[in-house]
Amino acid sequence: MAEAGQRLGQLLMRAGVITERQLNDALEVHKATGSPLGRVLVDLGYATQGAILSVMARQIGIPYIDFTEKTPDANAISIVPRELANRYTLMPIEIDQDNHLVVAMADPQNVLALDDLRIITGYEIRPAISTKDAILAAVEDYYKVAEHVDTGFLDGDDVEVPDIGSLREVSDEAPIVKLVNYIINKAVSERASDIHIEPQEKDLRVRYRVDGVLHEVMRSPKQTQQAIISRFKIMSDMDIAEARKPQDGHTALTIGGHKMDFRVSTLPTVYGERIVLRILRKDSIMLRLEDLGFLPSTLGRFESSFRKPYGAILVTGPTGSGKSTTLYAAINVLNEPSKHIITAEDPVEYRLPGVNQIQTNVKAGLTFARALRSFLRCSPDIILVGEIRDQETAKIAIESALTGHLVLSTLHTNDSAGAITRLTEMGVEPFLIASSVDCVLAQRLARKLCSDCKVEYTPERQALIDAGYAEDNLPEKLYRTGGCKKCGGTGYRGRTGVHEVMLVSEEIGELTVKEATAEEIKAVAVEQGMLTLKEDGLEKVRMGLTSVEEIVRVIV
């Protein structure tokens, strides 16, 4: 026993896990108490159970699984019953390139467990080792996500679909249903906004967009591709026999007791149909403006504008910058029984109580411009246009603002001043823009630092100046990313808005009529108190909400 302990100690020392002094201390306790050396090292705090197992695994030639670095594959989880995982303290990891099922086990020499796995799954088993506590925690975490999906709520389950034989049958088999449910529920639990199902040459890749950034979460064998894609299409009431052209669908799911909507789109690629699910959380659209990350001064400027009875308010920014959420938050403030509010959207993603929402339909001839013309005959107080895309829509929106309506809409420009020149380029007369546009809000979404693991540091003076801080107002301390389980190791959790509110003053109106450049308009707006996107972002860095690196990433 003592010799075995000394051999383990020497292995740990050579691996750099413990020092010679720590080994000698542990050996003394080991000889005095008779406790195994590994347990003594853990009790003394000299080594973790995982570090010891890792060294032992290398010695006996099997992999060690660290669940903070390795995420179990959903396809592997779907073929191993939870009862078996609990009975033998094991966790399925993945199906490797040799088509072996890799399984993390507390006792990888348990022949009975290996035989049962081989018989139940049909795969040859490749054992790995991990700690008992880590395996039990992983079973709880990953199986819980898969099992808490309510399959009775899938819209597509009761929909008649063309009978194409085995394709429909295989997509309804329990393993595929469980795998698809796992993908959806895990995305919701990780706060993803999109799920991307992407066929590759040799497998199927699944990615989630979390806080605006795509992360790969799993890969599934190529042979499961058609069944998984067909399952998503059945759920979304799509034609599973049509794979040559794009399709759009929708499904409503109940997850964790919350009703959620999913907008689903397919796109044919050279390796098969790509599917994107947009997760629409109804509670997110009931946010208050104060929850969107506005600085008090910026919010005051914006609110002073949309509280007026007429005029045009434009929100600009790239796709995915939260423009619609901001407009909905403003509508929530304005939505009173005394106000008649009409919206034209493509598509209507969220239903707002008390608001008349119109879904545009180009094929039926209901464009934004045509919807706007119809709105004006219905005596509205407030009009929301999902997006100004063309000259006709722009002109009608601007004229509506001039005739006593409050018009809210979005444009795709990089900053607030660019919206003025963009409308001019669309063919709207500059004097109409100057008379009707009251406010332009440019915005971005920046990831927030995880409050549980962000790290305080003292930045270098030159780095702060290079970032854009004024030399006479440099912050003494900032925060950078850490990395913990709550944020998935990214150091970020959630997002906040970065805003630039330009009020169209008399001076800016005069520049608009003169067709001045966006740079000239922006310079005057800054003189009149506008915080630029960069300045607003750096202030949020100073407040410890985000990092310099994140502001540099989202703001050019």
Side-chain angles (χ1 to χ4, degrees):
M1 181 75 73
E3 289 182 5
Q6 286 183 336
R7 284 199 301 272
L8 173 61
Q10 292 296 327
L11 286 172
L12 293 172
M13 197 170 68
R14 283 199 294 271
V17 175
I18 59 174
T19 65
E20 185 176 2
R21 182 187 63 78
Q22 290 174 332
L23 174 58
N24 291 334
D25 290 347
L27 284 172
E28 287 184 13
V29 177
H30 165 64
K31 291 173 184 176
T33 63
S35 294
L37 181 65
R39 185 176 299 170
V40 171
L41 287 167
V42 173
D43 291 343
L44 291 173
Y46 291 162
T48 64
Q49 190 178 3
I52 295 171
L53 272 182
S54 178
V55 171
M56 293 174 65
R58 286 200 298 271
Q59 187 67 15
I60 62 177
I62 66 171
Y64 168 74
I65 302 297
D66 182 350
F67 288 100
T68 62
E69 298 177 358
K70 182 72 174 177
T71 301
D73 185 275
N75 195 50
I77 295 171
S78 69
I79 60 176
V80 177
R82 179 170 183 166
E83 295 76 15
L84 199 67
N86 283 328
R87 185 190 311 160
Y88 294 121
T89 314
L90 57 85
M91 182 68 204
I93 302 300
E94 63 184 355
I95 298 169
D96 65 15
Q97 294 179 341
D98 299 326
N99 209 34
H100 286 67
L101 177 62
V102 180
V103 180
M105 306 175 69
D107 179 10
Q109 295 181 327
N110 188 332
V111 178
L112 184 60
L114 295 172
D115 285 345
D116 281 359
L117 277 170
R118 191 177 297 109
I119 292 168
I120 290 172
T121 66
Y123 283 89
E124 288 299 317
I125 309 302
R126 185 158 287 166
I129 193 169
S130 191
T131 67
K132 180 179 179 180
D133 289 345
I135 290 173
L136 291 175
V139 169
E140 179 65 22
D141 286 346
Y142 292 100
Y143 277 94
K144 179 176 65 177
V145 171
E147 291 170 358
H148 280 194
V149 184
D150 176 8
T151 58
F153 51 74
L154 301 181
D155 283 355
D157 283 356
D158 299 322
V159 176
E160 289 298 323
V161 185
D163 182 13
I164 55 174
S166 60
L167 182 58
R168 173 64 184 265
E169 291 174 10
V170 74
S171 67
D172 283 337
E173 289 179 359
I176 293 299
V177 172
K178 284 184 178 179
L179 180 55
V180 168
N181 290 342
Y182 175 88
I183 291 170
I184 293 172
N185 226 29
K186 183 174 172 61
V188 172
S189 70
E190 294 190 3
R191 304 173 297 105
S193 59
D194 307 296
I195 304 172
H196 295 251
I197 313 295
E198 302 169 320
Q200 306 294 299
E201 183 178 4
K202 297 181 179 178
D203 55 20
L204 184 72
R205 181 173 67 173
V206 179
R207 294 192 291 171
Y208 297 157
R209 187 180 298 279
V210 181
D211 294 333
V213 178
L214 280 170
H215 301 277
E216 182 175 319
V217 293
M218 64 169 281
R219 286 183 181 255
S220 190
K222 192 72 174 177
Q223 58 263 35
T224 66
Q225 174 178 312
Q226 196 57 54
I228 290 172
I229 290 172
S230 296
R231 179 63 186 169
F232 277 114
K233 292 173 73 175
I234 289 169
M235 287 167 54
S236 309
D237 194 15
M238 294 183 188
D239 182 357
I240 60 174
E242 178 57 73
R244 296 168 298 176
K245 61 183 182 182
Q247 296 186 63
D248 292 306
H250 170 271
T251 188
L253 314 180
T254 301
I255 299 177
H258 299 285
K259 187 91 177 221
M260 312 193 81
D261 289 332
F262 292 75
R263 196 178 78 206
V264 188
S265 300
T266 70
L267 185 68
T269 73
V270 292
Y271 296 124
E273 286 181 282
R274 182 183 192 276
I275 291 185
V276 177
L277 289 85
R278 178 86 184 275
I279 304 174
L280 307 175
R281 292 173 169 82
K282 294 187 177 182
D283 55 349
S284 68
I285 215 58
M286 298 308 292
L287 290 172
R288 301 174 305 158
L289 284 166
E290 292 84 352
D291 300 325
L292 301 182
F294 280 93
L295 294 175
S297 60
T298 306
L299 178 57
R301 289 167 64 89
F302 181 50
E303 193 160 0
S304 69
S305 181
F306 71 73
R307 289 287 188 181
K308 294 179 180 179
Y310 57 86
I313 298 173
L314 304 175
V315 182
T316 74
T319 300
S321 61
K323 300 186 297 294
S324 296
T325 301
T326 299
L327 286 179
Y328 279 137
I331 288 291
N332 286 334
V333 175
L334 299 170
N335 190 6
E336 300 172 355
S338 60
K339 299 285 178 63
H340 180 198
I341 304 174
I342 306 182
T343 76
E345 304 169 61
D346 181 24
V348 176
E349 293 183 345
Y350 299 95
R351 274 67 171 177
L352 298 175
V355 176
N356 302 286
Q357 296 174 272
I358 310 299
Q359 168 77 58
T360 60
N361 187 335
V362 176
K363 290 182 180 178
L366 184 59
T367 61
F368 278 121
R370 191 163 184 177
L372 271 172
R373 284 199 203 92
S374 301
F375 288 177
L376 297 178
R377 293 194 292 270
C378 297
S379 186
D381 298 303
I382 301 168
I383 298 171
L384 187 151
V385 185
E387 184 183 344
I388 293 177
R389 298 176 179 171
D390 52 55
Q391 182 187 54
E392 188 178 12
T393 306
K395 283 186 173 180
I396 299 171
I398 293 299
E399 289 168 2
S400 301
L402 284 171
T403 54
H405 303 90
L406 181 63
V407 179
L408 297 90
S409 190
T410 69
L411 268 178
H412 285 281
T413 62
N414 288 328
D415 59 10
S416 54
I420 303 296
T421 54
R422 175 75 179 123
L423 289 173
T424 304
E425 290 166 2
M426 281 184 169
V428 182
E429 294 293 342
F431 72 90
L432 292 178
I433 300 171
S435 303
S436 61
V437 177
D438 192 71
C439 168
V440 183
L441 164 66
Q443 72 175 56
R444 301 288 189 276
L445 289 176
R447 292 178 294 173
K448 293 166 64 176
L449 287 168
C450 175
S451 58
D452 290 305
C453 65
K454 65 182 180 181
V455 180
E456 183 181 316
Y457 73 102
T458 302
E460 295 182 3
R461 177 182 174 82
Q462 190 56 48
L464 293 173
I465 295 171
D466 292 343
Y469 285 103
E471 292 189 46
D472 59 349
N473 190 24
L474 300 177
E476 295 181 2
K477 64 177 183 180
L478 295 178
Y479 292 87
R480 59 163 64 104
T481 56
C484 66
K485 189 173 182 180
K486 284 191 176 180
C487 62
T490 63
Y492 296 100
R493 183 173 173 82
R495 289 191 287 179
T496 186
V498 180
H499 306 97
E500 176 181 285
V501 177
M502 184 183 77
L503 301 178
V504 180
S505 62
E506 188 175 335
E507 292 81 4
I508 291 176
E510 290 174 359
L511 288 174
T512 302
V513 173
K514 295 176 183 176
E515 298 190 32
T517 64
E519 288 74 17
E520 292 171 324
I521 294 172
K522 184 174 183 177
V524 172
V526 170
E527 287 178 8
Q528 295 177 348
M530 180 185 81
L531 281 180
T532 65
L533 282 168
K534 189 70 169 286
E535 290 168 341
D536 189 89
L538 291 177
E539 186 59 30
K540 290 180 169 69
V541 173
R542 187 193 297 271
M543 295 164 62
L545 292 176
T546 188
S547 66
V548 173
E549 293 77 14
E550 179 65 5
I551 294 302
V552 170
R553 183 184 73 85
V554 299
I555 300 172
V556 179

